[in-house]
Amino acid sequence: MSPVISALAIAFAAFCVWLAVRIVNRRERWAKGVAVGLIFCLPLIYVLSVGPAVAWTRTHCGREIVSVCYRPIFMIGAHHAESQRLLRDYFYFCGVSKRDFPLFMKSGGIAWISG
């Protein structure tokens, strides 16, 4: 799994450099739009992907990876009751049953509760 992640990171970095060259040297308008879209869409995709990731790990392995990758979101849920409620509602919307919700911990990790 590590070589795949490394290859994806290198490809993303190469894409960003290519896009920067298009914006700076050629002053192409479409490249500016793509850059702005990436700046706004990537954080949104990250936040919205936490629900499906948690739902997927209920039936498959990978809880440690989810706990590490989404630690900032889980820390917000651990420290704010309203955020925790919103995350639990979103997990339920994504297919996690109410009896299998993850329990948020103050360290930002998650512990799983099974009915």
Side-chain angles (χ1 to χ4, degrees), residues 28-67:
E28 293 183 1
R29 226 176 137 161
W30 68 267
K32 292 176 186 176
V34 169
V36 169
L38 284 175
I39 289 171
F40 288 112
C41 290
L42 285 180
L44 181 66
I45 290 170
Y46 171 71
V47 170
L48 292 178
S49 68
V50 69
V54 169
W56 188 77
T57 57
R58 291 303 302 149
T59 58
H60 299 83
C61 60
R63 292 180 184 172
E64 295 83 19
I65 294 171
V66 169
S67 181

mmCIF file of all heavy atoms in Angstrom, residues 28-67:
data_model
loop_
_atom_site.group_PDB
_atom_site.id
_atom_site.type_symbol
_atom_site.label_atom_id
_atom_site.label_comp_id
_atom_site.label_asym_id
_atom_site.label_seq_id
_atom_site.Cartn_x
_atom_site.Cartn_y
_atom_site.Cartn_z
ATOM 1 N N GLU A 28 -2.865 30.920 -18.800
ATOM 2 C CA GLU A 28 -4.095 30.322 -19.327
ATOM 3 C C GLU A 28 -5.208 30.440 -18.295
ATOM 4 O O GLU A 28 -5.034 30.129 -17.116
ATOM 5 C CB GLU A 28 -3.844 28.871 -19.706
ATOM 6 C CG GLU A 28 -2.902 28.757 -20.882
ATOM 7 C CD GLU A 28 -2.684 27.328 -21.318
ATOM 8 O OE1 GLU A 28 -3.276 26.428 -20.713
ATOM 9 O OE2 GLU A 28 -1.921 27.135 -22.270
ATOM 10 N N ARG A 29 -6.354 30.870 -18.780
ATOM 11 C CA ARG A 29 -7.482 31.125 -17.890
ATOM 12 C C ARG A 29 -8.068 29.847 -17.305
ATOM 13 O O ARG A 29 -8.451 29.817 -16.134
ATOM 14 C CB ARG A 29 -8.563 31.847 -18.675
ATOM 15 C CG ARG A 29 -9.103 33.000 -17.934
ATOM 16 C CD ARG A 29 -10.078 33.721 -18.779
ATOM 17 N NE ARG A 29 -11.193 34.031 -17.927
ATOM 18 C CZ ARG A 29 -12.062 34.937 -18.178
ATOM 19 N NH1 ARG A 29 -12.003 35.602 -19.293
ATOM 20 N NH2 ARG A 29 -13.016 35.184 -17.342
ATOM 21 N N TRP A 30 -8.160 28.806 -18.096
ATOM 22 C CA TRP A 30 -8.739 27.561 -17.610
ATOM 23 C C TRP A 30 -7.891 26.972 -16.489
ATOM 24 O O TRP A 30 -8.420 26.343 -15.564
ATOM 25 C CB TRP A 30 -8.913 26.546 -18.742
ATOM 26 C CG TRP A 30 -7.616 26.029 -19.291
ATOM 27 C CD1 TRP A 30 -6.927 26.514 -20.353
ATOM 28 C CD2 TRP A 30 -6.857 24.936 -18.786
ATOM 29 N NE1 TRP A 30 -5.775 25.800 -20.558
ATOM 30 C CE2 TRP A 30 -5.707 24.815 -19.594
ATOM 31 C CE3 TRP A 30 -7.011 24.056 -17.724
ATOM 32 C CZ2 TRP A 30 -4.733 23.854 -19.382
ATOM 33 C CZ3 TRP A 30 -6.037 23.099 -17.518
ATOM 34 C CH2 TRP A 30 -4.921 22.996 -18.333
ATOM 35 N N ALA A 31 -6.573 27.179 -16.532
ATOM 36 C CA ALA A 31 -5.694 26.655 -15.488
ATOM 37 C C ALA A 31 -5.958 27.358 -14.153
ATOM 38 O O ALA A 31 -5.917 26.727 -13.090
ATOM 39 C CB ALA A 31 -4.232 26.813 -15.902
ATOM 40 N N LYS A 32 -6.253 28.648 -14.221
ATOM 41 C CA LYS A 32 -6.591 29.378 -12.986
ATOM 42 C C LYS A 32 -7.884 28.843 -12.389
ATOM 43 O O LYS A 32 -8.007 28.695 -11.172
ATOM 44 C CB LYS A 32 -6.715 30.868 -13.277
ATOM 45 C CG LYS A 32 -5.412 31.521 -13.638
ATOM 46 C CD LYS A 32 -5.616 32.974 -14.001
ATOM 47 C CE LYS A 32 -4.311 33.571 -14.501
ATOM 48 N NZ LYS A 32 -4.478 34.947 -14.951
ATOM 49 N N GLY A 33 -8.851 28.551 -13.246
ATOM 50 C CA GLY A 33 -10.112 27.986 -12.754
ATOM 51 C C GLY A 33 -9.931 26.618 -12.117
ATOM 52 O O GLY A 33 -10.535 26.307 -11.090
ATOM 53 N N VAL A 34 -9.069 25.793 -12.727
ATOM 54 C CA VAL A 34 -8.791 24.474 -12.157
ATOM 55 C C VAL A 34 -8.108 24.618 -10.803
ATOM 56 O O VAL A 34 -8.430 23.900 -9.845
ATOM 57 C CB VAL A 34 -7.939 23.629 -13.129
ATOM 58 C CG1 VAL A 34 -7.419 22.372 -12.464
ATOM 59 C CG2 VAL A 34 -8.747 23.273 -14.367
ATOM 60 N N ALA A 35 -7.165 25.549 -10.691
ATOM 61 C CA ALA A 35 -6.460 25.758 -9.421
ATOM 62 C C ALA A 35 -7.421 26.218 -8.323
ATOM 63 O O ALA A 35 -7.380 25.717 -7.193
ATOM 64 C CB ALA A 35 -5.335 26.770 -9.605
ATOM 65 N N VAL A 36 -8.289 27.147 -8.648
ATOM 66 C CA VAL A 36 -9.272 27.618 -7.665
ATOM 67 C C VAL A 36 -10.217 26.478 -7.282
ATOM 68 O O VAL A 36 -10.549 26.299 -6.107
ATOM 69 C CB VAL A 36 -10.044 28.839 -8.213
ATOM 70 C CG1 VAL A 36 -11.238 29.176 -7.338
ATOM 71 C CG2 VAL A 36 -9.125 30.030 -8.320
ATOM 72 N N GLY A 37 -10.622 25.699 -8.260
ATOM 73 C CA GLY A 37 -11.490 24.553 -7.978
ATOM 74 C C GLY A 37 -10.831 23.548 -7.051
ATOM 75 O O GLY A 37 -11.462 23.016 -6.136
ATOM 76 N N LEU A 38 -9.548 23.278 -7.271
ATOM 77 C CA LEU A 38 -8.829 22.348 -6.390
ATOM 78 C C LEU A 38 -8.713 22.890 -4.979
ATOM 79 O O LEU A 38 -8.858 22.146 -4.013
ATOM 80 C CB LEU A 38 -7.434 22.067 -6.951
ATOM 81 C CG LEU A 38 -7.351 21.126 -8.134
ATOM 82 C CD1 LEU A 38 -5.920 21.044 -8.634
ATOM 83 C CD2 LEU A 38 -7.860 19.752 -7.762
ATOM 84 N N ILE A 39 -8.457 24.185 -4.866
ATOM 85 C CA ILE A 39 -8.302 24.784 -3.537
ATOM 86 C C ILE A 39 -9.593 24.665 -2.727
ATOM 87 O O ILE A 39 -9.563 24.430 -1.525
ATOM 88 C CB ILE A 39 -7.853 26.251 -3.661
ATOM 89 C CG1 ILE A 39 -6.405 26.304 -4.146
ATOM 90 C CG2 ILE A 39 -8.012 26.997 -2.353
ATOM 91 C CD1 ILE A 39 -5.922 27.681 -4.515
ATOM 92 N N PHE A 40 -10.735 24.797 -3.391
ATOM 93 C CA PHE A 40 -12.001 24.721 -2.673
ATOM 94 C C PHE A 40 -12.561 23.302 -2.592
ATOM 95 O O PHE A 40 -13.209 22.959 -1.610
ATOM 96 C CB PHE A 40 -13.038 25.651 -3.311
ATOM 97 C CG PHE A 40 -12.749 27.097 -3.066
ATOM 98 C CD1 PHE A 40 -12.371 27.928 -4.105
ATOM 99 C CD2 PHE A 40 -12.834 27.626 -1.790
ATOM 100 C CE1 PHE A 40 -12.087 29.259 -3.876
ATOM 101 C CE2 PHE A 40 -12.545 28.959 -1.550
ATOM 102 C CZ PHE A 40 -12.170 29.777 -2.599
ATOM 103 N N CYS A 41 -12.327 22.491 -3.601
ATOM 104 C CA CYS A 41 -12.948 21.163 -3.643
ATOM 105 C C CYS A 41 -12.215 20.108 -2.820
ATOM 106 O O CYS A 41 -12.853 19.233 -2.237
ATOM 107 C CB CYS A 41 -13.092 20.687 -5.080
ATOM 108 S SG CYS A 41 -14.332 21.604 -5.994
ATOM 109 N N LEU A 42 -10.889 20.142 -2.782
ATOM 110 C CA LEU A 42 -10.157 19.114 -2.052
ATOM 111 C C LEU A 42 -10.485 19.087 -0.551
ATOM 112 O O LEU A 42 -10.719 18.010 0.004
ATOM 113 C CB LEU A 42 -8.656 19.244 -2.292
ATOM 114 C CG LEU A 42 -8.179 18.770 -3.664
ATOM 115 C CD1 LEU A 42 -6.675 18.958 -3.791
ATOM 116 C CD2 LEU A 42 -8.558 17.339 -3.913
ATOM 117 N N PRO A 43 -10.539 20.228 0.144
ATOM 118 C CA PRO A 43 -10.950 20.165 1.555
ATOM 119 C C PRO A 43 -12.393 19.668 1.731
ATOM 120 O O PRO A 43 -12.683 18.930 2.671
ATOM 121 C CB PRO A 43 -10.817 21.608 2.042
ATOM 122 C CG PRO A 43 -9.859 22.238 1.111
ATOM 123 C CD PRO A 43 -10.069 21.570 -0.210
ATOM 124 N N LEU A 44 -13.262 20.048 0.816
ATOM 125 C CA LEU A 44 -14.647 19.584 0.894
ATOM 126 C C LEU A 44 -14.734 18.078 0.692
ATOM 127 O O LEU A 44 -15.451 17.376 1.422
ATOM 128 C CB LEU A 44 -15.490 20.315 -0.145
ATOM 129 C CG LEU A 44 -16.973 19.962 -0.180
ATOM 130 C CD1 LEU A 44 -17.646 20.411 1.111
ATOM 131 C CD2 LEU A 44 -17.639 20.604 -1.375
ATOM 132 N N ILE A 45 -13.995 17.562 -0.269
ATOM 133 C CA ILE A 45 -13.983 16.114 -0.508
ATOM 134 C C ILE A 45 -13.413 15.380 0.699
ATOM 135 O O ILE A 45 -13.906 14.316 1.087
ATOM 136 C CB ILE A 45 -13.192 15.799 -1.789
ATOM 137 C CG1 ILE A 45 -13.965 16.289 -3.009
ATOM 138 C CG2 ILE A 45 -12.892 14.314 -1.905
ATOM 139 C CD1 ILE A 45 -13.177 16.239 -4.289
ATOM 140 N N TYR A 46 -12.378 15.943 1.335
ATOM 141 C CA TYR A 46 -11.788 15.335 2.528
ATOM 142 C C TYR A 46 -12.822 15.229 3.654
ATOM 143 O O TYR A 46 -12.971 14.172 4.269
ATOM 144 C CB TYR A 46 -10.582 16.147 2.982
ATOM 145 C CG TYR A 46 -10.016 15.741 4.313
ATOM 146 C CD1 TYR A 46 -9.330 14.550 4.457
ATOM 147 C CD2 TYR A 46 -10.171 16.549 5.435
ATOM 148 C CE1 TYR A 46 -8.803 14.168 5.673
ATOM 149 C CE2 TYR A 46 -9.652 16.180 6.651
ATOM 150 C CZ TYR A 46 -8.971 14.994 6.767
ATOM 151 O OH TYR A 46 -8.467 14.624 7.977
ATOM 152 N N VAL A 47 -13.519 16.306 3.901
ATOM 153 C CA VAL A 47 -14.504 16.305 4.988
ATOM 154 C C VAL A 47 -15.664 15.359 4.673
ATOM 155 O O VAL A 47 -16.114 14.612 5.537
ATOM 156 C CB VAL A 47 -15.006 17.744 5.258
ATOM 157 C CG1 VAL A 47 -16.184 17.737 6.199
ATOM 158 C CG2 VAL A 47 -13.880 18.593 5.818
ATOM 159 N N LEU A 48 -16.145 15.363 3.439
ATOM 160 C CA LEU A 48 -17.275 14.506 3.083
ATOM 161 C C LEU A 48 -16.897 13.030 2.985
ATOM 162 O O LEU A 48 -17.774 12.174 3.064
ATOM 163 C CB LEU A 48 -17.894 14.968 1.762
ATOM 164 C CG LEU A 48 -18.606 16.318 1.804
ATOM 165 C CD1 LEU A 48 -19.122 16.682 0.425
ATOM 166 C CD2 LEU A 48 -19.739 16.296 2.818
ATOM 167 N N SER A 49 -15.622 12.715 2.847
ATOM 168 C CA SER A 49 -15.227 11.311 2.724
ATOM 169 C C SER A 49 -15.118 10.597 4.064
ATOM 170 O O SER A 49 -14.987 9.376 4.100
ATOM 171 C CB SER A 49 -13.901 11.208 1.982
ATOM 172 O OG SER A 49 -12.846 11.749 2.751
ATOM 173 N N VAL A 50 -15.202 11.318 5.169
ATOM 174 C CA VAL A 50 -15.071 10.673 6.476
ATOM 175 C C VAL A 50 -16.234 9.714 6.750
ATOM 176 O O VAL A 50 -16.033 8.637 7.301
ATOM 177 C CB VAL A 50 -14.912 11.713 7.615
ATOM 178 C CG1 VAL A 50 -16.170 12.501 7.842
ATOM 179 C CG2 VAL A 50 -14.500 11.034 8.902
ATOM 180 N N GLY A 51 -17.438 10.061 6.350
ATOM 181 C CA GLY A 51 -18.596 9.194 6.592
ATOM 182 C C GLY A 51 -18.498 7.862 5.868
ATOM 183 O O GLY A 51 -18.618 6.797 6.491
ATOM 184 N N PRO A 52 -18.271 7.853 4.548
ATOM 185 C CA PRO A 52 -18.105 6.576 3.859
ATOM 186 C C PRO A 52 -16.911 5.770 4.367
ATOM 187 O O PRO A 52 -16.967 4.536 4.411
ATOM 188 C CB PRO A 52 -17.912 6.983 2.396
ATOM 189 C CG PRO A 52 -18.587 8.288 2.276
ATOM 190 C CD PRO A 52 -18.387 8.964 3.604
ATOM 191 N N ALA A 53 -15.833 6.438 4.770
ATOM 192 C CA ALA A 53 -14.665 5.714 5.294
ATOM 193 C C ALA A 53 -15.009 5.007 6.599
ATOM 194 O O ALA A 53 -14.637 3.849 6.809
ATOM 195 C CB ALA A 53 -13.501 6.676 5.495
ATOM 196 N N VAL A 54 -15.729 5.684 7.479
ATOM 197 C CA VAL A 54 -16.126 5.064 8.751
ATOM 198 C C VAL A 54 -17.105 3.919 8.495
ATOM 199 O O VAL A 54 -17.002 2.857 9.100
ATOM 200 C CB VAL A 54 -16.723 6.121 9.701
ATOM 201 C CG1 VAL A 54 -17.390 5.481 10.899
ATOM 202 C CG2 VAL A 54 -15.643 7.076 10.157
ATOM 203 N N ALA A 55 -18.040 4.107 7.569
ATOM 204 C CA ALA A 55 -18.996 3.045 7.247
ATOM 205 C C ALA A 55 -18.282 1.840 6.651
ATOM 206 O O ALA A 55 -18.629 0.693 6.961
ATOM 207 C CB ALA A 55 -20.054 3.570 6.276
ATOM 208 N N TRP A 56 -17.282 2.067 5.822
ATOM 209 C CA TRP A 56 -16.556 0.962 5.200
ATOM 210 C C TRP A 56 -15.745 0.183 6.228
ATOM 211 O O TRP A 56 -15.657 -1.036 6.155
ATOM 212 C CB TRP A 56 -15.639 1.505 4.110
ATOM 213 C CG TRP A 56 -14.997 0.422 3.307
ATOM 214 C CD1 TRP A 56 -15.575 -0.317 2.335
ATOM 215 C CD2 TRP A 56 -13.660 -0.048 3.427
ATOM 216 N NE1 TRP A 56 -14.672 -1.208 1.821
ATOM 217 C CE2 TRP A 56 -13.488 -1.068 2.482
ATOM 218 C CE3 TRP A 56 -12.591 0.301 4.247
ATOM 219 C CZ2 TRP A 56 -12.291 -1.740 2.326
ATOM 220 C CZ3 TRP A 56 -11.399 -0.375 4.088
ATOM 221 C CH2 TRP A 56 -11.257 -1.371 3.137
ATOM 222 N N THR A 57 -15.154 0.872 7.210
ATOM 223 C CA THR A 57 -14.329 0.182 8.199
ATOM 224 C C THR A 57 -15.154 -0.600 9.204
ATOM 225 O O THR A 57 -14.601 -1.387 9.958
ATOM 226 C CB THR A 57 -13.416 1.163 8.961
ATOM 227 O OG1 THR A 57 -14.223 2.155 9.575
ATOM 228 C CG2 THR A 57 -12.416 1.789 8.037
ATOM 229 N N ARG A 58 -16.462 -0.416 9.218
ATOM 230 C CA ARG A 58 -17.296 -1.221 10.124
ATOM 231 C C ARG A 58 -17.335 -2.677 9.667
ATOM 232 O O ARG A 58 -17.508 -3.577 10.466
ATOM 233 C CB ARG A 58 -18.724 -0.680 10.181
ATOM 234 C CG ARG A 58 -18.877 0.636 10.856
ATOM 235 C CD ARG A 58 -18.359 0.659 12.273
ATOM 236 N NE ARG A 58 -19.011 -0.325 13.101
ATOM 237 C CZ ARG A 58 -18.424 -0.936 14.131
ATOM 238 N NH1 ARG A 58 -17.194 -0.664 14.450
ATOM 239 N NH2 ARG A 58 -19.082 -1.812 14.835
ATOM 240 N N THR A 59 -17.159 -2.919 8.363
ATOM 241 C CA THR A 59 -17.214 -4.286 7.847
ATOM 242 C C THR A 59 -15.872 -4.766 7.323
ATOM 243 O O THR A 59 -15.729 -5.934 7.014
ATOM 244 C CB THR A 59 -18.249 -4.388 6.704
ATOM 245 O OG1 THR A 59 -17.896 -3.467 5.684
ATOM 246 C CG2 THR A 59 -19.641 -4.073 7.222
ATOM 247 N N HIS A 60 -14.899 -3.909 7.206
ATOM 248 C CA HIS A 60 -13.591 -4.259 6.689
ATOM 249 C C HIS A 60 -12.508 -3.800 7.662
ATOM 250 O O HIS A 60 -12.796 -3.122 8.643
ATOM 251 C CB HIS A 60 -13.350 -3.595 5.325
ATOM 252 C CG HIS A 60 -14.334 -4.007 4.284
ATOM 253 N ND1 HIS A 60 -15.573 -3.433 4.160
ATOM 254 C CD2 HIS A 60 -14.251 -4.949 3.328
ATOM 255 C CE1 HIS A 60 -16.221 -4.002 3.158
ATOM 256 N NE2 HIS A 60 -15.445 -4.922 2.636
ATOM 257 N N CYS A 61 -11.283 -4.146 7.357
ATOM 258 C CA CYS A 61 -10.180 -3.687 8.198
ATOM 259 C C CYS A 61 -9.819 -2.259 7.819
ATOM 260 O O CYS A 61 -10.316 -1.713 6.850
ATOM 261 C CB CYS A 61 -8.980 -4.608 8.030
ATOM 262 S SG CYS A 61 -8.369 -4.674 6.349
ATOM 263 N N GLY A 62 -8.945 -1.653 8.584
ATOM 264 C CA GLY A 62 -8.490 -0.316 8.267
ATOM 265 C C GLY A 62 -8.886 0.741 9.268
ATOM 266 O O GLY A 62 -8.809 1.927 8.982
ATOM 267 N N ARG A 63 -9.295 0.332 10.453
ATOM 268 C CA ARG A 63 -9.713 1.319 11.457
ATOM 269 C C ARG A 63 -8.566 2.227 11.867
ATOM 270 O O ARG A 63 -8.766 3.403 12.122
ATOM 271 C CB ARG A 63 -10.282 0.613 12.679
ATOM 272 C CG ARG A 63 -11.575 -0.070 12.393
ATOM 273 C CD ARG A 63 -12.113 -0.759 13.624
ATOM 274 N NE ARG A 63 -13.317 -1.483 13.278
ATOM 275 C CZ ARG A 63 -13.926 -2.302 14.100
ATOM 276 N NH1 ARG A 63 -13.455 -2.506 15.297
ATOM 277 N NH2 ARG A 63 -15.021 -2.914 13.714
ATOM 278 N N GLU A 64 -7.341 1.672 11.939
ATOM 279 C CA GLU A 64 -6.193 2.488 12.331
ATOM 280 C C GLU A 64 -5.906 3.545 11.273
ATOM 281 O O GLU A 64 -5.585 4.686 11.593
ATOM 282 C CB GLU A 64 -4.950 1.604 12.533
ATOM 283 C CG GLU A 64 -5.084 0.625 13.677
ATOM 284 C CD GLU A 64 -5.830 -0.644 13.281
ATOM 285 O OE1 GLU A 64 -5.936 -0.944 12.065
ATOM 286 O OE2 GLU A 64 -6.326 -1.333 14.183
ATOM 287 N N ILE A 65 -6.026 3.175 9.996
ATOM 288 C CA ILE A 65 -5.768 4.125 8.917
ATOM 289 C C ILE A 65 -6.797 5.254 8.953
ATOM 290 O O ILE A 65 -6.450 6.428 8.818
ATOM 291 C CB ILE A 65 -5.789 3.407 7.552
ATOM 292 C CG1 ILE A 65 -4.627 2.428 7.473
ATOM 293 C CG2 ILE A 65 -5.734 4.403 6.408
ATOM 294 C CD1 ILE A 65 -4.668 1.519 6.281
ATOM 295 N N VAL A 66 -8.055 4.898 9.160
ATOM 296 C CA VAL A 66 -9.106 5.920 9.233
ATOM 297 C C VAL A 66 -8.876 6.823 10.437
ATOM 298 O O VAL A 66 -9.020 8.038 10.345
ATOM 299 C CB VAL A 66 -10.502 5.263 9.280
ATOM 300 C CG1 VAL A 66 -11.575 6.269 9.630
ATOM 301 C CG2 VAL A 66 -10.810 4.601 7.954
ATOM 302 N N SER A 67 -8.471 6.241 11.548
ATOM 303 C CA SER A 67 -8.232 7.027 12.750
ATOM 304 C C SER A 67 -7.096 8.025 12.547
ATOM 305 O O SER A 67 -7.161 9.147 13.038
ATOM 306 C CB SER A 67 -7.909 6.093 13.914
ATOM 307 O OG SER A 67 -7.707 6.824 15.093
#
